[in-house]
Amino acid sequence: MKKLNEWLYRRSLKKIDKRPAGFPHWGNVHSIILLYDSDIMEKNPTIKKIVAELQNEGKEVITLGYVHRKDVSSAILPQSRMLGQKDFNWFRMPKTDVLHDIEKRKYDLMLDLTLTPIIELQYMAMYVRADFKAGRQMGEGVNNLMIDLPVDAGREDLIRELVKYLKIIESRD
């Protein structure tokens, strides 16, 4: 089943619009969506810390997490949403209502903070409408910028490297 899900994902990936990426100027980034895999308790202290740091820089931050459970206990809030297995179909693709919620807003930047490939979040990254997408190097995907980190690197290492490169690379806008 895992091979079939991966094949369907790669097939869907080929169908998406391959747009040229203009590197964003950090000062012009106002809205950011963070994708992440949640801990089972849905507490996510590292994500809360990252959100606070980005908000201190004047960024509007929306979070989209995935927990490996059927039922999710976190409330759906305008700035935060937690998804569970019930939000995806048998092929692990997002259900229509989830897609509708995700596709209705456009962001300046998507930061994928997953450390290992999770097909549900890979689909979400595909459908998020963002001018620029960045995350960890994990093979074929939708990210415009991919950071290669050691296997033992954590989420804070990933965000630090992503933001570092987003701040130092000159923009064309």
Side-chain angles (χ1 to χ4, degrees):
M1 184 62 173
K2 184 177 179 182
K3 295 282 186 196
L4 176 61
N5 290 336
E6 290 172 2
W7 179 82
L8 286 171
Y9 170 73
R10 285 192 305 278
R11 183 173 169 209
S12 299
L13 192 59
K14 289 178 183 176
K15 292 180 181 180
I16 66 167
D17 184 28
K18 303 285 187 190
R19 61 191 168 3
F23 214 87
H25 186 274
W26 185 250
N28 294 337
V29 171
H30 302 292
S31 61
I32 299 172
I33 184 165
L34 298 179
L35 298 184
Y36 67 97
D37 53 318
S38 174
D39 59 39
I40 291 293
M41 299 304 292
E42 300 177 33
K43 299 292 184 204
N44 305 301
T46 304
I47 295 298
K48 290 177 182 175
K49 180 180 175 189
I50 291 167
V51 168
E53 289 172 4
L54 292 171
Q55 287 174 336
N56 285 340
E57 291 193 39
K59 311 299 182 195
E60 177 191 8
V61 183
I62 309 297
T63 63
L64 182 61
Y66 174 75
V67 63
H68 297 279
R69 293 195 319 231
K70 279 190 176 187
D71 294 317
V72 175
S73 59
S74 298
I76 297 174
L77 304 171
Q79 72 280 11
S80 175
R81 180 157 186 193
M82 189 68 65
L83 302 172
Q85 292 170 342
K86 283 185 176 180
D87 296 306
F88 297 86
N89 67 20
W90 194 68
F91 296 109
R92 297 163 62 186
M93 295 175 179
K95 291 183 177 175
T96 305
D97 59 325
V98 173
L99 282 179
H100 176 71
D101 289 347
I102 300 306
E103 291 178 324
K104 70 182 176 184
R105 173 128 192 241
K106 188 171 184 207
Y107 303 92
D108 297 325
L109 178 63
M110 180 196 82
L111 296 175
D112 183 351
L113 301 181
T114 55
L115 299 173
T116 59
I118 298 171
I119 197 141
E120 291 87 351
L121 286 173
Q122 289 173 312
Y123 273 115
M124 296 311 298
M126 184 186 310
Y127 291 112
V128 165
R129 291 182 32 212
D131 292 333
F132 195 83
K133 298 178 180 186
R136 185 175 189 158
Q137 169 63 34
M138 291 188 280
E140 191 176 16
V142 297
N143 292 335
N144 305 104
L145 171 67
M146 292 179 268
I147 302 292
D148 192 16
L149 293 174
V151 176
D152 62 341
R155 195 173 274 140
E156 289 185 63
D157 299 319
L158 177 58
I159 191 71
R160 189 178 330 107
E161 289 297 305
L162 286 170
V163 171
K164 176 178 91 174
Y165 284 105
L166 288 167
K167 286 181 175 180
I168 64 172
I169 296 177
E170 282 294 316
S171 167
R172 288 188 235 162
D173 60 358

